[in-house]
Amino acid sequence: MGKERKVILSGNRPTGRLHIGHLFGVLGNWAQLQSEYDTYFEVADWHALTTRYQDTASMKKDIEDMVIDWLSAGISPEKSVIFVQSHIKEHAELHILFSMLVSLSRLLRNPTLKEYVAEKQTLKLKTEKKTLNKIAENITQKVFSEGEKREEVLKGKIKEHVLSELQGIFSQDTEIPYGEIVNYGFLGYPVLQAADILIYRAHVVPIGKDQLPHLELTREIARRFNFLYGEVFPIPEPVLNEFAKVPGTDGRKMSKSYNNTILIGEDTKDLKKKIMSAYTDPKKIKKNDPGHPDTCPIFHYHMIFNKENSDMIKEECIKGIRGCVQCKKEVFEKIDAFMEPYREKRYELEEKRELIWDIIKEGDKKAREKTKETMELVREKMKIDY
Ligand code: TRP
């Protein structure tokens, strides 16, 4: 018998259709690694629920859309196990056992949690300022509609007083305590992720850089378990992709929340709209103005989709003999052609969404086998196999 292949596990929260940032990021890595490893790819729906537990109506469709993108990016159900987290209850069992091995303060140090809280806090502050402003405005209006003499100075003063009054009333609310923003499930997010990874006794986890803190906690939990109860888990290693980042159409990081994505298999019409309205160098107004390709997302797209011409384009842009409209049109043509096979695959699969669930059913079966085996070992080592 040959040596057993090493195991890979990775996953994504189902957020619907994926973009080319995913394609050139983690998906490219997944597709490549399939032939060398036993690969498990997880639809992390429980993880998605930690933040969107009130908004579940489209979860099923979001799962289908994400898996369609996985398949069109070359993840093969013959080579890989594609499964849904919530179908494999063993993840929940291991999660609860692991939850004993992590301190509360360790979880509170999780940078993802800190970012989430900071973001929620500023959002809350912003809306509060706005709402208070509106209330103050309304009160002021009322005062004047009651037949008061219209004097701008007076008006401003009243508004100021009312606002400061209201701010006084609501000031306790502006600093929302941690405990009210973060639910118990979200606090345990990285513990669940550790269970996802370790239940397959994975050796390698191909992820984006943002996930490194979660992997670090996974490694700590694995070591702690092995130390307390005996060797069960390999200490998993991350694999980061070495591709250059794909900027969004506004030049920032490509992200659904920035509304600057190009979808995998994007429609020709939508693609054209997105490219033609993309951000370009604001200092290049006329065609003859010299451009700054290094900070232009369109030039980045040329480097990816039109590599053979990118040196020439860079030179022409800098020299001011190339206009942005022409530049966009050319790169649109390239991306449009690149998208064609992805579109075809998507059209084909969208017609038979039940096929996605057949694939998942098969994957679930294989995932379950592996996780049952691990859980038996875990219970035995922990001496709770009664
Ligand atoms: N937290 C990951 C993300 O947001 C998704 C995920 C869940 C995952 N479980 C995992 C990634 C296990 C790698 C391994 O992208």
Side-chain angles (χ1 to χ4, degrees), residues 135-146 150 155:
I135 296 171
E137 192 90 50
N138 289 347
I139 294 177
T140 317
Q141 284 305 334
K142 266 189 203 149
V143 170
F144 279 91
S145 67
E146 281 160 8
R150 291 191 147 249
K155 194 174 172 180

Side-chain angles (χ1 to χ4, degrees), residues 18-272:
L18 303 176
H19 54 69
I20 57 172
H22 295 117
L23 184 65
F24 291 109
V26 84
L27 287 182
N29 252 354
W30 290 8
Q32 264 178 21
L33 294 163
Q34 292 180 106
S35 29
E36 292 164 54
Y37 293 83
D38 279 345
T39 36
Y40 292 83
F41 296 120
E42 166 188 294
V43 176
D45 56 342
W46 279 338
H47 276 110
L49 283 179
T50 60
T51 53
R52 58 175 284 196
Y53 53 90
Q54 288 172 311
D55 163 29
T56 53
S58 66
M59 187 73 98
K60 182 160 184 263
K61 184 169 181 293
D62 287 343
I63 291 175
E64 292 167 0
D65 278 334
M66 184 171 80
V67 174
I68 287 176
D69 282 332
W70 286 4
L71 297 174
S72 43
I75 309 300
S76 148
E78 274 95 57
K79 293 183 187 160
S80 294
V81 177
I82 297 172
F83 69 95
V84 171
Q85 183 183 36
S86 68
H87 292 173
I88 316 296
K89 311 301 180 201
E90 282 74 9
H91 286 232
E93 185 183 353
L94 191 58
H95 171 226
I96 206 160
L97 296 177
F98 281 172
S99 72
M100 324 299 170
L101 308 185
V102 193
S103 72
L104 179 57
S105 56
R106 177 64 184 84
L107 291 178
L108 291 170
R109 279 204 307 274
N110 173 17
T112 321
L113 182 85
K114 287 187 178 170
E115 275 162 35
Y116 179 78
V117 172
E119 195 184 299
K120 286 275 168 191
Q121 247 160 7
T122 47
L123 256 181
K124 178 91 183 188
L125 280 171
K126 263 192 211 150
T127 49
E128 231 149 38
K129 253 284 186 43
K130 229 169 95 184
T131 328
L132 291 182
N133 214 39
K134 185 85 203 150
I135 296 171
E137 192 90 50
N138 289 347
I139 294 177
T140 317
Q141 284 305 334
K142 266 189 203 149
V143 170
F144 279 91
S145 67
E146 281 160 8
E148 219 68 25
K149 253 202 201 157
R150 291 191 147 249
E151 273 184 45
E152 282 312 307
V153 187
L154 193 62
K155 194 174 172 180
K157 283 219 160 130
I158 290 176
K159 194 180 159 188
E160 208 172 285
H161 281 305
V162 176
L163 186 60
S164 84
E165 200 78 14
L166 286 172
Q167 252 163 349
I169 295 168
F170 289 109
S171 61
Q172 305 100 302
D173 277 347
T174 53
E175 268 293 307
I176 327 160
Y178 237 76
E180 279 173 39
I181 293 177
V182 177
N183 60 32
Y184 173 54
F186 191 76
L187 181 71
Y189 186 112
V191 186
L192 180 59
Q193 188 159 341
D196 292 346
I197 295 167
L198 297 177
I199 207 162
Y200 298 90
R201 280 168 282 156
H203 303 92
V204 175
V205 188
I207 39 175
K209 219 164 105 208
D210 61 316
Q211 294 296 314
L212 283 177
H214 293 161
L215 195 73
E216 198 41 53
L217 185 70
T218 303
R219 291 160 58 89
E220 287 171 31
I221 290 176
R223 283 194 212 101
R224 183 131 173 88
F225 186 100
N226 291 346
F227 169 74
L228 288 173
Y229 307 112
E231 284 295 318
V232 172
F233 303 113
I235 310 301
E237 298 285 341
V239 173
L240 298 175
N241 62 294
E242 66 271 23
F243 297 101
K245 278 249 173 302
V246 191
T249 51
D250 60 358
R252 292 189 289 175
K253 177 183 181 271
M254 188 175 284
S255 161
K256 196 174 178 175
S257 54
Y258 291 155
N259 207 4
N260 64 359
T261 62
I262 295 173
L263 298 178
I264 300 174
E266 182 93 58
D267 271 354
T268 297
K269 219 175 93 200
D270 296 336
L271 180 65
K272 189 161 199 176

